[in-house]
Amino acid sequence: MAGPRLRPVLDRLAAFRAGVVPSAEAAPHLMGDNETPYPPPDAVLAAIAESAGRVNRYPDLAAAQLTAEIAKATGEPEERIALGAGSGALLQVLFQAVADQDAEAVIGWRSFEVYPLFADLAGVRAVKVPLREEKHDVPAMLEQISERTRLVIVCQPNNPTGTVLTTAEVEQLMTAVPADCLVALDEAYHEYVRDPQAADGLHLQRRWPNLVTLRTFSKAYGLAGLRVGYLLGDPGVVARLRAASLPFSISSTAQAAAIAALRVRDQLMERVERTVAERGRLRAALLEQGWPIPRSEANFLWLGLGEASGAFVRRCAERGIVVRGFPGEGVRVTVGTRADNDAFLAACEAWLKESGDQAGDPGAQGRAVSVREEK
Ligand SMILES: *Cc1c(COP(=O)(O)O)cnc(C)c1O
């Protein structure tokens, strides 16, 4: 092919980015991207509007005010906080920061799809360790740690399965990982966790300078469209990650909105509570229908449909429901409004009826199995 010679990894990244964003008219039930279904509170909208009058000026390079507000909200000193244009941007910086020759990153798999892409882009070899019962398998991950390992990522809760590691499991991991290997807890869905046993990076990271925790304003704080995330960790690590970040990448509007969101935190956490309640209702109803759904601590559920995933995603789309399919593996559905969730339950019921009719097995157990095998 003519033209400049670029790295082949860019073609794989281009394929990932090719996904179409469905319009709200075509798909009234947007349950594919783990966003909150609720629009921003008035105070956040006002802060966004107010910031618009100043966009001829560069944003605050250090995002000092936002950093101070996050320090207040987390109880962590500012020197332990690095900001990014979404925690995705911080993940990319993490991979770049460890990308020495022969560097490897150990990740659980299936997990957040950008990890291996960022690894490839940075020239880091991603070592994928299969989940065990839809959960990170700590002993198996430890077996893959070598002198080449520079980064271990734990997605907590795991996207797309919703499972969590306990505090004891993360302690086991941290105790065994060499001190010169960075471990990142990606806690994008932290606010949705209700399991008291679940590990919490904020509480653990002081004990290990090589442990960092990633959080975001994209999910529970409802600012996915504005791109703000942060990392908590050792000041020495934080200073170097800040240095590696793209300057001015967090816009003044994003900074203003995130500050405003922290100030109406209680209001946002009420919505989170609603979503947690809906998660319970949705999962209970799906279990009742006969689907084997892992317990989720995030704002989404995992349907292990295997080879049937593509067909199921299309069936949902016909009903105006967008879900995320992972071909050959399963489908992730975001917990939406009550109406979204009811629409999804109806789609699941219809799917079972269809596949049940074909399989001729009306039993719940049989239905769950036929769900897995349906083409
Ligand atoms: C959504 C998500 C993020 C957050 O991405 P942003 O860049 O902050 O929008 C990070 N990690 C995981 C696992 C996610 O699912």
Side-chain angles (χ1 to χ4, degrees):
M1 199 174 76
R5 196 165 85 190
L6 303 178
R7 295 172 59 207
V9 58
L10 299 180
D11 296 326
R12 293 200 292 281
L13 282 165
F16 170 69
R17 296 232 170 147
V20 245
V21 178
S23 72
E25 299 87 67
H29 304 292
L30 296 176
M31 305 173 82
D33 286 326
N34 300 342
E35 302 140 335
T36 173
Y38 309 110
D42 288 345
V44 174
L45 286 176
I48 291 169
E50 199 273 326
S51 78
R54 288 177 281 113
V55 294
N56 54 313
R57 304 295 176 187
Y58 276 102
D60 175 3
L61 176 61
Q65 200 189 346
L66 176 55
T67 305
E69 294 286 341
I70 293 170
K72 216 159 57 175
T74 57
E76 289 295 287
E78 292 168 29
E79 60 178 7
R80 296 184 64 89
I81 301 166
L83 294 177
S87 51
L90 287 160
L91 281 166
Q92 188 172 8
V93 170
L94 280 180
F95 278 101
Q96 285 170 346
V98 301
D100 274 338
Q101 185 143 33
D102 300 328
E104 292 182 358
V106 171
I107 59 177
W109 198 252
R110 156 74 54 190
S111 192
F112 192 29
E113 55 267 34
V114 308
Y115 302 152
L117 297 174
F118 285 164
D120 282 354
L121 196 56
V124 173
R125 195 172 87 89
V127 180
K128 295 177 178 173
V129 179
L131 302 180
R132 189 187 169 90
E133 292 172 359
E134 319 293 12
K135 196 178 134 169
H136 282 78
D137 184 343
V138 172
M141 289 174 83
L142 288 176
E143 267 175 38
Q144 295 302 322
I145 308 269
S146 73
E147 68 284 354
R148 292 184 300 279
T149 313
R150 290 285 168 275
L151 179 63
V152 179
I153 300 190
V154 171
C155 191
Q156 169 87 350
N158 187 46
N159 175 1
T161 56
T163 52
V164 287
L165 290 186
T166 64
T167 302
E169 285 167 324
V170 173
E171 284 171 342
Q172 182 195 357
L173 180 77
M174 291 314 300
T175 307
V177 167
D180 67 355
C181 172
L182 207 52
V183 178
L185 282 181
D186 183 351
E187 298 190 337
Y189 303 95
H190 170 76
E191 293 81 1
Y192 295 100
V193 174
R194 291 296 174 273
D195 180 351
Q197 310 256 341
D200 176 344
L202 183 57
H203 294 144
L204 287 167
Q205 36 125 22
R206 287 292 185 112
R207 287 161 60 190
W208 290 282
N210 58 328
L211 177 63
V212 296
T213 303
L214 294 145
R215 303 244 173 120
T216 183
F217 285 90
S218 295
K219 306 289 161 51
Y221 282 87
L223 296 178
L226 281 177
R227 320 303 307 127
V228 200
Y230 59 97
L231 174 146
L232 303 164
D234 179 74
V237 174
V238 161
R240 283 174 287 168
L241 295 175
R242 283 179 182 168
S245 297
L246 185 69
F248 300 115
S249 59
I250 308 153
S251 73
S252 39
T253 301
Q255 293 184 33
I259 292 165
L262 283 171
R263 291 187 178 154
V264 292
R265 189 177 186 280
D266 291 352
Q267 200 181 334
L268 293 168
M269 291 311 120
E270 274 170 36
R271 297 164 166 202
V272 167
E273 215 49 65
R274 232 185 291 166
T275 297
V276 168
E278 276 296 298
R279 170 178 79 198
R281 184 180 76 90
L282 184 59
R283 178 165 181 259
L286 288 170
L287 290 174
E288 181 72 21
Q289 286 185 10
W291 300 78
I293 309 284
R295 183 178 160 154
S296 169
E297 296 293 326
N299 65 338
F300 51 81
L301 297 177
W302 175 248
L303 287 73
L305 278 147
E307 294 304 321
S309 301
F312 181 85
V313 170
R314 285 191 293 279
R315 279 280 182 277
C316 286
E318 286 161 16
R319 292 168 161 259
I321 303 167
V322 179
V323 292
R324 175 64 69 88
F326 299 86
E329 297 176 69
V331 172
R332 187 191 70 202
V333 59
T334 305
V335 179
T337 62
R338 200 175 172 90
D340 292 333
N341 302 331
D342 284 341
F344 181 72
L345 283 170
C348 289
E349 181 106 57
W351 168 271
L352 288 176
K353 190 160 180 303
E354 232 173 80
S355 51
D357 286 350
Q358 281 164 23
D361 182 359
Q365 198 67 30
R367 280 190 297 184
V369 172
S370 70
V371 159
R372 284 182 173 279
E373 288 167 358
E374 158 80 6
K375 282 276 148 27

